[in-house]
Structure formats: structure tokens, C-alpha cells
Amino acid sequence: MASAGIYSARSPNSSRKPPSDRQSVPAFKSIRSLPGEFRFMESPTSRPLEEVKHVNGGFTGNGILEEDEGDAVDESDQVGYDSPYGRNAQAGEGTPNDQLDAIVSPLPSTPSLLIESKWSDTASYVKKKNLHAWYQLQNGNWELAKIISTSGTDLIISLPEGKVLRLQADVLLPANPDILDGVDDLMQLSYLNEPSVLYNLQYRYDRNMIYTKAGPVLVAVNPFKRVGLYGNDYIEAYKRKSIESPHVYAIADTALREMRRDEVNQSIIISGESGAGKTETAKITMQYLAALGGGSGIEYEILKTNPILEAFGNAKTLRNNNSSRFGKLIEIHFSETGKISGARIQTFLLEKSRVVQCAEGERSYHIFYQLCAGAPPVMREKLKLKRVEEYKYLCESNCYTVSGVDDAEEFHNVMEALDVVHVNKDEQQSAFVMVAAVLWLGNISFTVTDNENHVEPVVDEALLSVAELMSCSIEALQLALSTRNMKVGSDIIVQKLTLPQAIDARDALAKSIYSCLFDWLVEQINKSLSVGKRRTGRSISILDIYGFESFERNSFEQFCINYANERLQQHFNRHLFKLEQEEYIQDGIDWARVDFEDNQDCLNLFEKKPLGLLSLLDEESTFPNGTDLTFANKLKQHLKSHPCFRGERDKAFVVSHYAGEVTYDTTGFLEKNRDLLHTDSIHLLSSCSIPLPQIFASSMLTQSEKRVVGPLHKSGGAESQKLSVATKFKAQLFQLMQRLENTTPHFIRCIKPNNLQSPGIYEQALVLQQLRCCGVLEVVRISRSGFPTRMSHQKFSRRYGFLLQDSVATRDPLSVSVAILHHFQILPEMYQVGYTKLFFRTGQIGILEDTRNRTLHGILRVQSCFRGYQARRSLQEFKKGISTLQSFIRGEKTRKEFAALLQRHRAATVIQKHVKGKNTWKRCVEVTKAAVVMQAVIRGWLVRKCSGNIGLLNLVERKASQSDEVLVTALYLAELQRRVLKAEAALRHKEEENEILQQRLRQYENRWSEYELKMKSMEEVWQKQMRSLQSSLSIAKKSLAADDLGRRSDASVNTGEEREYSGDTNSTIFKSHETNGVRSMSASLSIINRLADEFEQRRQVFGDDAEFLVEVKSGHADASLDPDREFGRLKQQFESWKKDYAMRLRETKTILDKLDNEGRTTPDKARKKWWGRKNTSRLT
């Protein structure tokens, strides 16, 4: 047997069957270990628990310790601050009781992973104590029972509902103290048994703490609801290490830090059964890595692969609405700076059978429903899509939707994700064409053509649609689905298919197309995420793989999945033992080998050659006449003596896995292992005119060329065979394990708390089964076999040092720790002292905790009494002081109130005086006015009486005319006011317009000044250029005149000499030369004159045009043209003329230089010729 690290292997024990009742909720109760005279009151943050009856005293609820004096709770909180059990630990108190005389030992039928009798020597702790223990009911659930009394090996216990039982001590399992309720690491539990682990997980689950550590393993319980544990704030907190509670972020952060620090590849292995939350956990892990390693932009592409893989690889099952029907390994690569540089995805064992058949209440792959619901009208018409209910592959299960999921919206998310990972529109269209073709393949029907049940496809809408979508001929499609070409020697025989064979051929084609499409999509994603030259070799791999599965009927898929989990479990065990060994060696403690369940026997059952399960399966698959029954019989014949194998009736057999026994039904094993697709179907795909089916056909032909020699060579058998599904899966698994062996692994076990997928429901039996299957309880058992409780010297001395005398407690932490162990007589075999930590066996920390609690209880009692006395004395003194202070305050307050009242009285008197005087004055004025009015009335009456009626009438008429005049005057004034207002408004409007016009005038003046400056600058430039040209021309004239004068002087000298020595003949020659020189000079002068005339003419023209444009611009001249545009054209003309003129001037200068050289050379030659003749004549 193989051994791992310091541990020796032993054969696995048969595990206990899980209880059949999974619907019952565990009736856990809080552990009680406080004295009877103490009572509890309900904590506002704790969940309500049922009341537990105590024989010696009552206490209810779970939460805050309540005493008669109020400060006791605060003291206990302060003392418990250094607790090594995390922030959620609550201080519990010990209970002295002399009634318990027997040790609580485990039940014999309990699995060995829960109880190790050699580590159960805790008599010094549990003897004579009144404790609680776990009792298993008949339905498999665990109840927290209270031990009332003990007599030898017999115990009397009381259950929460009040029932009292008498039983043996070995049927109980010990419970942990209250301080360990809800610890975030199961290794901190003193008693690592099944009910304690289940209770701790439920305690945290009820408080939305879904993550718990089990040593190196993170246990994640699916809450089936949104919990506020994610987001940028939590990412930043775990990045800064400000939060230390268990979390997926913490696992990802640890992997990232170790990769950067050690430069070693890391792996995060996520497992669990369907519906446990593996896919979401993988997403959360990728989000954290993308947040910390992002920056290059590729992290967004990596996250966008999830919608694509979920659409094409996930489906709704009875256990999970988004179940991954394949395993995947996402390898994320990092650059030297720690940023994500790329990724690669590897998939395992896609469930192809789901394409053609689904169980009742389940769905096929999401992409089928998303395409039918969300495809745009143009795509629907091109793909000939119909409603989901009209496709046979989808309607058999009678399940078309998922609660709370919009398939149309999800389809748009898939389209967006495909764009992000750089799958172009044509490739997307081809992929959806293949999906539609698979749907239409399921609608193809067959008709029987003869008495032998031979069939041919019916030419209907389905057949025509498949042929059109795949761009193949209808005849080729009919032949591929109804016939099979068989090669016998050199001849090819065409065999007609029966109805079952034709249906199998049709379904095999559909499954192969979808499988190739899935692999092609993964390949396209990998191309988009490829690392290239940026690869540094450092990576973090996230493995999202199916967990151990055990159903009522287990088929080939469960066979492969459980085989993979056996391999992963062995990798997990080896890594765990390695960590244990490293920690023991690092602290320098004495350790011994610990037995563990080695699953090598089960792996040999699968892998051994030639009589292993996989070998026998491949061997039987090579025989054409092999059936599922013959395969089952062969297994029973060759493997009946294997300890992990047991044959059953008919086609069934049983395998003892590490997680328990699983019964497999061999029905369909051979067909799924062969995964046959005949060459006719491959040729059909290769004959299609679109590229994607041709790529699929090429891939299938490549795989079919990889052949292995068959195990047997018999007549009628196949000499060679295509690689079977089991063989390919085994090769993939070995490659995966080799990759994981080269990484530092981190484990996350996902747990599904209930099968209803509802929040708040915790099924004890279901959780327990998963804990066994994913190996968490095995981790607990291994840790329990060693030293599960570990505490640093500093924490240990701070927590328990006060129990010693002051002279001892002031020493160094190591000496204090050793003194504590000796003082309380802890057995040497129950602990080990390391360099930095103390290592304890199971339950040993409870002894010290009990003593500490009792000591603290006494201290709290003394403190409460003393504080009560101090409080009463302080209260009396305080009351006396208050009375004296109140008397002074009240006197001062009364004096202030009297002063304020006196001031108010004086102020009121002054106010009353002024108010009364004012009122008297008002009354006097009113009386005076009334007297005047009365006098006026009387006097008027007297006047009217004397004047008579005529005067009265005249007076009335004058008053009427005066009122009319007043009315007219008022109207006239109103009209004048209106006109004045209107004039003022018009004046304001004119002023505003004037202001605008002035602004525009200023703008025009500014522009005009700019134009004038530009014109002046241009004119200066032109004048300079004209002057330069004129100076060049004058220089040319002077140089020409000087040359002319030189030539004439030379000609005169030469002429005199010739006349003196030669005579008439030579004079004729020199006359011709003189004539040529004069002609050259005249030609040069004419050229220069023409250039000078042209210069003057052009200068005049450009100057006139510029002055005209300036006049037009300034408004002094009228012309229908754009001055700016004409000025630009004039400038271009001037530049072009200037270049041309300069070029001609250079050419003229060159010609003049050439003529000058010729003129100088010719006389010299003639002179030399003459001189030669002269010398010859003299010699003669």
C-alpha cells in the first residue's frame, strides 16, 4: 500500500449508510456548561433556541450571561478577548458536578473517522462533571442530551423535549463547550465528531456565515439567496487583510500571494455535487483574481467566457437549475508584474446524451432554449426556428423554462460575450446554424420500406431544413441516416438500417455535431485568451469539476465522475498529510505515523491491467457482439475476489468508493464508451459546403486515426479500435493530475443544504452525506488523530496565565505555558510543545477551559459583591451631594426668577404709561375732527337755507363738470404714461442695437487693421523680392559689360599681333573670331534686356492687382469677387512666376558663363596655332 508523508495506509472501512430521512431539520440545541445558579437572557443577535431543563437549576436561551450585578458580563468579555477561536466565540462557563463517574465514549457503530478510542482519554475532564452529549435518534438525527447521572457504564440522560432515557455510555458522543459555538475553523473544535461538525455548520449557516474552514479546506454552504459578502469593498478588505474570516476571496488571495512569493503555480480545486454552488464559486474566484491582477483588459475577456460555457455546457436538472454538465480547468497566466496576461480552458467529459434525451422535469443545454427565445427575426428566418415545444429533442421532458431566468436576455448576453472573446459574426452565425441543425435532426422521422423493418428518412420539413442548414444534398443525408457502408475485403457492402439503428445513427450524428461545436468554441476562446510571448510560466488553475455522485440509478457518467473523484481524493489526502508533516517538523514536535484510509485499492480496481474495470470495459467494447449483460458477467467473473467490488443481480455491480458504496447499472455502458459515429456520417459532414461541418469531420477523422491494439484477437472481433471514451477520459485525468501535482493546491468543498433549493433549510442527513463524499470528515478525522488544537505560546499564556501565581505568570510565554501544563497535570501524551505553538490532543483544551471558566466565575462573583458595596456607598454619598447641590441651585434659580419678574413689572408699567397717553391723544384728535365736521355741516345748512334752490342747482352742475374734467385728465395722464413707457422701451431697444452695431464696427476695424498689416507685410516681402531680383539683374548687366570690355581689349591686342606677324590670311581668321564674339555679346544683351523688361512688366501687374484688391477689401472699389480668395490666387501666381523667373535667370547665367568660357578659349587656341607657325617659319 502507498503511504503519504508520515502516515501509513490502511484499508478503508465500510462507511455507514446515510439516514434515509433527509427532510428532517436537525434539532440541535446550544451546549450548556455553566453553573445552575447562573441564568441566561436572550441576545439580540443570537437565534432563539429552545429551553433546556436543568436538574440543579434553570437557565434559558443562549447568549449573554446575566448576573445580579451589572458589570460581570463586561469583565468576561474582556477576559475572553484573546480567545483563539475567532470573533464569533462566546465565553462559556464550566459546571462543577460530582454526579458523572463514567467517560462518555462513542457509539460502536459510528464510523471510525469520527471516534478514535486511543485519543479518548479525557477522564480527568469529563469525570464528575455535569455535561451535555450527542445522542442519535432512530431517524438518524442527533439531539443534544443532558447527562443527569451516571452509575458505572450506565447513564441517565434527558432530551430537550423532556424525555428521560437510561442507556450505556458508549452510545453518546461528547459535545463541545459554548465557547466553540460557531467557530470559523472546524479544527478548533475539541470534539471532532459528526454532530459537532453539523451543528457548527448550521450555527454559521443560520447567521449567513456560509464559509467555514476545515483545516486547509474551505467549506462553502450554498445559501440559495444573495448574501452581502461580495463586492469591491470585500475585495479591498481581503486584499488589505483587514478581514480574516473564511471566504473564497481569502483562498484566491492566498493563492495569488503564494504564486508571487514562491513563484510556484497554484491550483484552486472546487468540488461538490450538482447544485452545491461550484460554478458560482468559480465565478467569484475569477472575479477576485481579475480585480487584483487586472489592468491589461484580458481579465474582462476571461470573465466573459462564463456566459458562453454556461449556455453551451450547462442545463437544468432536478437538483440544479444551472448544472454544469462538464468539468473545466481554467488556467490563468500572470506576467512578471503580477498582472493577468492570458488564460486557457480545458474541458472534461461533456454529457452528450443530454442533447438527444432528458429526464422528466429537466432541460437540455441552455443554448437551445436561448436561441429559440432570443434570436432576432432575420436569424429566426434564416435558421427556420420554431417554438421550443415543436422540437422533439426538447419537448420530451415537458420542461421549457427556468424560474427567474429570461432566456432571451441570456441569449443577448451570450452574443455580447462572443463579441468580447473575438468570435466574429460569421463564425457566430455558423455556430448557431449548427445548433439549429441539431434541433431539426431530432424532428427527422423514418418510414418502413420492407418486411425486414428497413427504413428510409421521410422527406419533410425537418429533413429539408437539415440539408439546407448544413449545405449538403438531400440524397447524401438520406443515405447517411438509412444505410451503412461496410468494407469486406476489397468490396464495399451497403447495409440498410432498421428503425432502431436509424434512430441511433441520427442521434449519434446530433451528439457528435454538438460535441464538436462545444470543443470548437472552447478552442476559439483559447485563441482569444492565448498568452503568446507574454507567458512567464506562473499561473493559477481553477478546477470546477463534478463531485462524487450516488443516485438510485448510476450509469456510465457517474462511473467516470466517481473515478475522477477517487483520483482527486488521493491527491487531496497526500497534500493534507504533507501540510501536517511540514507543520510538525517546523515546530519540532515528536510525531508518529497515523493510519488513514488509502483509496489505492479502489483506484487499482479501476486502472489495473488487464483485469481492471476500465480495461475490461474497453475489451468488451471491441467485440461486436458484446452487450451490457456480458460486460456485467465478465466483471463478476474476474473481479469477484476484489475487496472493493461486489457483483449484484442482472447488470448491476457495486464499488466501494472512499465516500461509500455505489451501485452501477451497466445498461448503456458499452454504447456510451464506444461513442460510435460511422464513417458515412463523417463523409456527410465533409461533403457540406460550409466550413464548420468540414472542420468537425476533419477533427473526427483525426481522432479515428488514433487507434490502439485491441486486447484480444479472435475471429469476428476487431483487430483495432478507436479510442474509447473511458480511455480518453483516463488520459485526460492523468494529464490533469500531473498538472495539479506541480502546483500548490487549495481546496473548496461546496455543500448543498437541501434538495428544495430554498434558503434557510438545513437538512442534516443530506449535509452529512456530502461531508463524507467530499472528504471533509476525513480531513477532520486525520486532524483529530494528530493534534487538532493548536495555540501559540503567547495566546496560551495570556489566556490561562492568570491561573498561576504572579511569580510564575510574569515569566516568558514558553515557561508560563509549560508551567500551566504541569500545574493542571495534563498528561504528556496529550500534548506536544513546539517552537512556537502548543499542540493538544482532542478534548484537552476543555480541561483548561473548564478551570478558567470556574476561576473567572469566582472572580466575577467577588468583583460583583465588591462593586455592589462600592456602588451602594457611592450612591449614598452621591445622594447627599445631590441634595446639597439641589438646595443651592434651587435658591439661585429662585433669585434669578424674582429679579426677572421685577424687571418685567417695571417694563410693563412704562409700556402702560406710553400706551395710555397715546390712546388719550387719539381720542382727543377724533373729538376735534368730529366737532369741525359738525360745524361745517351746520354752516353749510345755514348757507343753503339763505341762498335758495337755484344756487344749490348751480353748485351741483359745477361739481358734475369738475368730476368729468377730473376723469378726462386721469385718462389722458394714463395714455401719456403708456406712451412714455413705450418710448423708453423703444429707446432701450435702439440703445441695445446701437451697442451691437458698435461692437460689430469694432470687430470690422480690428479685422481691417489686421488685413492692412498683412498687406503691408506682403508688400514689403514683394518689394524685398523685387529688389533682390533687380539687384541680381543689375549685377548680371555689370558682369556682362565687364566681360564685353575685356573681350574688346583682347580682340584689339590679338588683332595687332596678327597683323604684325601674319598677314592677310591670319587677319581673316581673327576677324571671324571677333565677329563671333560680338554676336555672342549681342545675344546675351538681348536675353538680359528681355528678362529686365519682363521683370518690370510683372512688377507693375502684381502691384496694380494688389492695390485693387486692397481697395475692394476696404470698400473704396466695388467688385463682385472675394478679396481673400483672389488675394490667395494672386499670391500663388506670384510664387509660380517667381520660381519660373528664378529658374530662367539661372539658365541665362549658365549660358553666359558658357559663352564666356568659349570666348576665352578660342583666341588662345588661335594664338597658339599662330605661334606655332611663327616658330616653324623662323626655323625654316
Side-chain angles (χ1 to χ4, degrees):
M1 297 299 177
S3 61
I6 62 172
Y7 301 92
S8 61
R10 60 181 173 81
S11 59
N13 296 330
S14 59
S15 61
R16 182 163 49 91
K17 294 282 186 179
S20 59
D21 184 11
R22 290 189 177 182
Q23 301 297 330
S24 59
V25 179
F28 288 122
K29 302 295 178 289
S30 178
I31 304 173
R32 310 300 181 191
S33 58
L34 286 175
E37 60 270 16
F38 276 76
R39 58 190 179 88
F40 286 82
M41 66 180 183
E42 187 64 23
S43 170
T45 59
S46 62
R47 63 184 177 91
L49 298 175
E50 296 181 9
E51 181 176 352
V52 182
K53 295 182 179 179
H54 197 290
V55 292
N56 295 327
F59 53 89
T60 60
N62 182 23
I64 302 174
L65 179 64
E66 180 184 354
E67 299 187 18
D68 294 338
E69 285 74 21
D71 293 336
V73 177
D74 296 336
E75 282 295 321
S76 64
D77 291 341
Q78 293 174 4
V79 174
Y81 175 78
D82 294 329
S83 171
Y85 303 108
R87 296 190 178 100
N88 296 323
Q90 300 177 357
E93 307 296 341
T95 301
N97 196 328
D98 297 336
Q99 296 177 349
L100 183 59
D101 298 325
I103 300 174
V104 179
S105 59
L107 196 131
S109 62
T110 304
S112 60
L113 59 88
L114 300 176
I115 300 301
E116 290 289 342
S117 59
K118 62 181 179 180
W119 305 131
S120 62
D121 187 10
T122 58
S124 60
Y125 171 53
V126 297
K127 182 175 286 187
K128 298 183 180 179
K129 301 291 188 239
N130 189 359
L131 298 177
H132 289 79
W134 295 107
Y135 173 70
Q136 190 172 23
L137 303 178
Q138 293 181 354
N139 60 3
N141 291 338
W142 294 89
E143 287 280 1
L144 189 64
K146 180 173 180 56
I147 302 175
I148 299 176
S149 62
T150 177
S151 176
T153 60
D154 294 336
L155 296 175
I156 298 178
I157 64 171
S158 65
L159 299 179
E161 61 271 15
K163 186 177 181 181
V164 179
L165 298 177
R166 185 182 183 88
L167 40 78
Q168 295 292 320
D170 56 1
V171 301
L172 298 179
L173 294 179
N176 292 289
D178 283 351
I179 190 177
L180 301 180
D181 284 355
V183 294
D184 56 10
D185 192 344
L186 297 179
M187 296 306 159
Q188 297 173 359
L189 296 176
S190 295
Y191 298 103
L192 298 173
N193 47 45
E194 282 185 355
S196 297
V197 172
L198 288 172
Y199 169 69
N200 195 77
L201 291 177
Q202 184 186 9
Y203 186 93
R204 296 177 60 82
Y205 177 74
D206 292 339
R207 290 157 179 78
N208 290 329
M209 295 183 288
I210 62 175
Y211 296 112
T212 307
K213 290 193 66 177
V217 182
L218 178 68
V219 179
V221 184
N222 192 344
F224 292 114
K225 64 179 180 180
R226 295 186 180 275
V227 292
L229 298 177
Y230 313 103
N232 294 331
D233 294 338
Y234 278 89
I235 291 176
E236 192 64 25
Y238 279 96
K239 178 183 177 181
R240 297 194 310 266
K241 293 291 185 181
S242 59
I243 300 180
E244 298 180 356
S245 58
H247 200 287
V248 175
Y249 289 164
I251 296 294
D253 186 78
T254 301
L256 191 60
R257 291 177 184 272
E258 291 183 3
M259 182 199 70
R260 293 172 176 173
R261 182 192 64 200
D262 304 332
E263 294 187 355
V264 176
N265 293 341
Q266 307 289 311
S267 61
I268 300 176
I269 302 173
I270 305 172
S271 62
E273 73 170 46
S274 180
K278 300 186 299 296
T279 302
E280 291 300 322
T281 302
K283 287 183 188 178
I284 296 169
T285 305
M286 293 169 62
Q287 289 172 1
Y288 186 85
L289 294 178
L292 267 65
S296 60
I298 196 155
E299 68 277 1
Y300 182 68
E301 297 181 25
I302 296 175
L303 294 177
K304 278 298 182 181
T305 60
N306 290 318
I308 303 173
L309 296 178
E310 288 183 12
F312 286 87
N314 288 25
K316 179 187 182 302
T317 64
L318 295 177
R319 294 188 172 189
N320 187 6
N321 290 339
N322 189 32
S323 175
S324 298
R325 309 314 301 164
F326 68 103
K328 65 180 177 182
L329 176 69
I330 303 177
E331 188 175 7
I332 302 176
H333 296 275
F334 292 82
S335 64
E336 295 178 355
T337 58
K339 300 297 182 182
I340 296 177
S341 60
R344 179 171 179 80
I345 300 175
Q346 183 181 359
T347 59
F348 309 95
L349 196 66
L350 178 69
E351 187 183 7
K352 295 191 290 186
S353 60
R354 183 168 291 272
V355 176
V356 299
Q357 62 181 1
C358 297
E360 185 73 20
E362 296 187 349
R363 293 205 318 176
S364 186
Y365 292 103
H366 294 325
I367 189 61
F368 294 124
Y369 308 89
Q370 294 173 0
L371 181 63
C372 294
V378 177
M379 182 182 293
R380 296 185 67 88
E381 182 178 358
K382 184 175 182 180
L383 302 183
K384 302 181 181 301
L385 293 177
K386 293 187 175 183
R387 294 183 298 108
V388 176
E389 296 83 355
E390 299 183 37
Y391 292 110
K392 293 183 180 178
Y393 281 163
L394 306 182
C395 66
E396 293 178 352
S397 63
N398 296 321
C399 181
Y400 309 112
T401 59
V402 178
S403 177
V405 177
D406 186 354
D407 289 323
E409 182 180 354
E410 293 297 327
F411 180 75
H412 294 308
N413 293 337
V414 172
M415 297 282 287
E416 179 185 353
L418 289 172
D419 292 334
V420 172
V421 298
H422 308 297
V423 179
N424 59 50
K425 294 296 182 182
D426 294 337
E427 293 176 339
Q428 294 181 28
Q429 188 71 20
S430 300
F432 294 133
V433 165
M434 291 295 99
V435 174
V438 170
L439 291 177
W440 280 111
L441 272 173
N443 285 11
I444 294 178
S445 57
F446 301 91
T447 179
V448 179
T449 59
D450 52 25
N451 295 331
E452 297 182 3
N453 202 24
H454 293 152
V455 296
E456 65 179 12
V458 177
V459 181
D460 54 4
E461 182 185 10
L463 187 70
L464 297 176
S465 298
V466 172
E468 181 179 352
L469 291 171
M470 297 179 61
S471 298
C472 64
S473 64
I474 300 176
E475 294 77 11
L477 181 59
Q478 286 180 306
L479 291 175
L481 296 179
S482 60
T483 61
R484 182 180 303 168
N485 294 330
M486 301 181 63
K487 187 175 182 180
V488 179
S490 60
D491 299 331
I492 297 178
I493 300 176
V494 179
Q495 177 184 1
K496 292 185 178 181
L497 301 180
T498 61
L499 182 59
Q501 292 174 340
I503 293 176
D504 291 342
R506 178 198 66 187
D507 293 344
L509 178 61
K511 291 187 292 184
S512 298
I513 290 175
Y514 191 82
S515 176
C516 290
L517 175 62
F518 184 77
D519 295 337
W520 177 81
L521 278 173
V522 174
E523 182 181 356
Q524 298 303 116
I525 293 174
N526 287 334
K527 288 180 181 178
S528 174
L529 304 179
S530 62
V531 181
K533 296 181 180 180
R534 298 169 295 176
R535 183 167 184 170
T536 62
R538 292 182 295 177
S539 65
I540 295 179
S541 301
I542 302 175
L543 179 62
D544 176 9
I545 198 166
Y546 13 67
F548 187 85
E549 292 185 353
S550 178
F551 305 135
E552 293 183 0
R553 182 182 180 277
N554 300 284
S555 187
F556 180 74
E557 289 80 9
Q558 285 71 41
F559 179 79
C560 295
I561 288 172
N562 293 341
Y563 165 55
N565 276 272
E566 287 287 347
R567 268 289 167 198
L568 290 174
Q569 182 65 21
Q570 187 181 58
H571 173 70
F572 171 73
N573 289 341
R574 289 179 178 177
H575 175 70
L576 175 64
F577 301 150
K578 183 180 179 181
L579 289 181
E580 291 284 321
Q581 178 183 5
E582 288 178 353
E583 187 165 5
Y584 291 162
I585 294 176
Q586 182 179 359
D587 262 85
I589 68 171
D590 296 332
W591 43 266
R593 293 182 178 273
V594 178
D595 293 336
F596 68 96
E597 289 189 6
D598 187 10
N599 61 344
Q600 188 60 46
D601 286 345
C602 187
L603 288 175
N604 291 337
L605 175 64
F606 277 89
E607 299 171 354
K608 189 176 180 180
K609 294 181 180 181
L611 298 179
L613 289 174
L614 298 177
S615 300
L616 293 176
L617 176 60
D618 287 343
E619 176 185 312
E620 194 67 18
S621 298
T622 59
F623 297 124
N625 297 328
T627 63
D628 298 328
L629 182 60
T630 59
F631 170 62
N633 293 333
K634 181 177 290 187
L635 294 180
K636 298 172 186 177
Q637 177 184 356
H638 293 287
L639 302 176
K640 60 183 178 180
S641 61
H642 198 282
C644 296
F645 179 86
R646 186 174 75 250
E648 296 290 338
R649 293 182 179 180
D650 299 330
K651 303 178 182 180
F653 65 94
V654 177
V655 175
S656 296
H657 292 280
Y658 74 95
E661 293 184 349
V662 179
T663 302
Y664 297 100
D665 186 357
T666 59
T667 303
F669 262 56
L670 297 184
E671 178 185 356
K672 294 178 181 178
N673 186 51
R674 290 166 179 161
D675 192 25
L676 292 178
L677 182 67
H678 296 288
T679 56
D680 304 283
S681 299
I682 299 178
H683 293 325
L684 172 66
L685 295 177
S686 62
S687 66
C688 297
S689 59
I690 57 178
L692 205 54
Q694 296 176 1
I695 296 174
F696 296 166
S698 176
S699 175
M700 295 176 188
L701 289 175
T702 303
Q703 292 180 3
S704 63
E705 291 174 358
K706 297 178 181 179
R707 299 178 177 273
V708 294
V709 178
L712 296 175
H713 302 276
K714 297 181 180 180
S715 59
E719 294 183 357
S720 63
Q721 63 174 350
K722 171 190 171 184
L723 283 174
S724 65
V725 174
T727 302
K728 289 188 291 186
F729 182 69
K730 179 181 176 181
Q732 282 184 327
L733 188 59
F734 271 81
Q735 182 182 3
L736 172 64
M737 299 311 302
Q738 185 178 5
R739 181 179 300 178
L740 294 179
E741 288 291 343
N742 296 327
T743 64
T744 300
H746 307 269
F747 299 94
I748 301 177
R749 304 302 199 195
C750 299
I751 303 295
K752 182 169 67 172
N754 61 81
N755 285 323
L756 302 178
Q757 302 181 29
S758 299
I761 301 177
Y762 187 90
E763 297 180 6
Q764 179 184 354
L766 177 62
V767 173
L768 180 59
Q769 181 194 16
Q770 294 175 79
L771 292 176
R772 293 171 178 169
C773 291
C774 67
V776 173
L777 293 181
E778 182 68 10
V779 175
V780 174
R781 189 198 68 82
I782 293 171
S783 298
R784 179 181 180 276
S785 300
F787 300 92
T789 306
R790 300 159 193 183
M791 193 181 302
S792 65
H793 300 317
Q794 291 78 8
K795 287 185 178 181
F796 189 79
S797 61
R798 282 201 306 268
R799 186 167 182 80
Y800 305 108
F802 72 95
L803 300 176
L804 303 177
Q805 297 179 358
D806 293 339
S807 58
V808 180
T810 55
R811 298 177 184 174
D812 61 281
L814 178 59
S815 301
V816 173
S817 301
V818 174
I820 294 172
L821 296 174
H822 291 166
H823 179 75
F824 292 99
Q825 299 180 359
I826 306 296
L827 299 178
E829 61 269 17
M830 293 292 104
Y831 69 91
Q832 287 284 342
V833 180
Y835 298 139
T836 61
K837 297 178 183 178
L838 292 174
F839 296 80
F840 293 94
R841 299 289 189 188
T842 302
Q844 297 308 305
I845 200 67
I847 302 173
L848 298 175
E849 197 65 29
D850 176 69
T851 305
R852 176 181 180 274
N853 291 336
R854 286 189 286 106
T855 304
L856 288 178
H857 169 69
I859 293 173
L860 292 177
R861 273 295 185 188
V862 174
Q863 288 179 349
S864 64
C865 294
F866 180 71
R867 287 172 181 168
Y869 170 74
Q870 282 186 331
R872 286 189 293 271
R873 286 193 58 183
S874 299
L875 180 61
Q876 293 175 358
E877 294 177 358
F878 187 65
K879 285 181 178 181
K880 293 178 181 179
I882 288 176
S883 301
T884 304
L885 184 61
Q886 283 178 349
S887 63
F888 285 109
I889 292 176
R890 288 169 182 169
E892 184 66 22
K893 183 178 179 182
T894 303
R895 285 188 292 272
K896 287 183 178 181
E897 289 178 353
F898 176 76
L901 181 60
L902 183 60
Q903 186 177 3
R904 289 176 62 187
H905 180 267
R906 293 173 181 173
T909 304
V910 175
I911 293 173
Q912 287 178 359
K913 179 181 66 175
H914 288 285
V915 170
K916 289 177 180 179
K918 190 174 182 180
N919 292 336
T920 304
W921 173 255
K922 285 183 178 180
R923 285 196 296 272
C924 179
V925 172
E926 291 176 357
V927 171
T928 303
K929 289 181 178 180
V932 173
V933 171
M934 290 176 65
Q935 289 175 358
V937 172
I938 293 172
R939 290 170 183 171
W941 176 75
L942 292 176
V943 171
R944 286 191 295 273
K945 186 176 181 181
C946 295
S947 300
N949 294 329
I950 296 175
L952 181 60
L953 293 175
N954 293 332
L955 178 62
V956 172
E957 289 177 358
R958 285 196 301 270
K959 288 184 178 180
S961 62
Q962 289 176 359
S963 63
D964 293 338
E965 290 176 359
V966 171
L967 179 61
V968 172
T969 302
L971 294 175
Y972 180 73
L973 290 175
E975 180 64 21
L976 288 178
Q977 290 178 354
R978 186 179 64 79
R979 291 183 181 181
V980 169
L981 293 175
K982 184 175 181 181
E984 290 177 351
L987 180 60
R988 286 195 298 271
H989 181 67
K990 293 299 182 181
E991 289 177 351
E992 292 175 355
E993 291 181 351
N994 188 20
E995 183 66 24
I996 294 173
L997 291 175
Q998 288 179 357
Q999 291 178 0
R1000 291 181 179 176
L1001 180 59
R1002 287 193 294 270
Q1003 293 176 359
Y1004 290 147
E1005 288 176 354
N1006 293 333
R1007 292 180 182 176
W1008 170 243
S1009 61
E1010 292 175 0
Y1011 288 141
E1012 283 183 345
L1013 292 175
K1014 290 181 180 178
M1015 294 303 299
K1016 287 180 181 179
S1017 62
M1018 291 302 300
E1019 186 176 359
E1020 291 174 358
V1021 171
W1022 288 353
Q1023 289 177 359
K1024 290 179 182 179
Q1025 293 175 352
M1026 289 297 183
R1027 285 195 296 271
S1028 65
L1029 292 175
Q1030 192 170 4
S1031 62
S1032 300
L1033 186 59
S1034 61
I1035 293 170
K1037 285 181 178 181
K1038 291 179 182 180
S1039 63
L1040 184 59
D1043 294 338
D1044 185 21
L1045 181 60
R1047 289 191 186 93
R1048 288 181 181 179
S1049 63
D1050 292 339
S1052 63
V1053 173
N1054 293 332
T1055 302
E1057 291 178 354
E1058 288 175 357
R1059 286 177 181 177
E1060 180 181 359
Y1061 294 103
S1062 300
D1064 296 337
T1065 305
N1066 291 334
S1067 65
T1068 306
I1069 295 172
F1070 279 94
K1071 285 180 182 178
S1072 63
H1073 284 300
E1074 182 180 0
T1075 305
N1076 292 335
V1078 172
R1079 289 178 181 176
S1080 300
M1081 180 181 64
S1082 61
S1084 300
L1085 288 174
S1086 63
I1087 292 172
I1088 292 172
N1089 290 333
R1090 283 198 303 272
L1091 289 175
D1093 294 339
E1094 182 181 356
F1095 177 78
E1096 292 296 334
Q1097 182 183 1
R1098 286 290 183 175
R1099 184 174 67 83
Q1100 185 65 30
V1101 171
F1102 285 127
D1104 295 340
D1105 291 345
E1107 290 177 358
F1108 175 71
L1109 291 176
V1110 171
E1111 291 176 355
V1112 173
K1113 185 68 177 180
S1114 61
H1116 297 292
D1118 296 333
S1120 59
L1121 50 83
D1122 186 2
D1124 295 334
R1125 184 177 181 185
E1126 294 299 329
F1127 181 75
R1129 292 177 59 187
L1130 180 61
K1131 185 178 178 181
Q1132 292 178 0
Q1133 291 177 5
F1134 173 74
E1135 293 293 338
S1136 61
W1137 173 79
K1138 185 179 71 173
K1139 292 180 181 178
D1140 180 62
Y1141 188 78
M1143 182 180 66
R1144 285 187 289 161
L1145 189 60
R1146 287 193 296 272
E1147 292 177 354
T1148 302
K1149 187 177 180 181
T1150 304
I1151 293 171
L1152 291 177
D1153 293 338
K1154 186 175 181 182
L1155 291 175
D1156 182 39
N1157 294 331
E1158 291 178 356
R1160 292 174 182 266
T1161 305
T1162 303
D1164 292 339
K1165 289 183 179 180
R1167 185 162 48 199
K1168 289 179 180 179
K1169 186 176 182 181
W1170 167 80
W1171 180 254
R1173 287 197 300 270
K1174 180 178 177 182
N1175 290 336
T1176 303
S1177 63
R1178 287 181 179 179
L1179 289 175
T1180 303

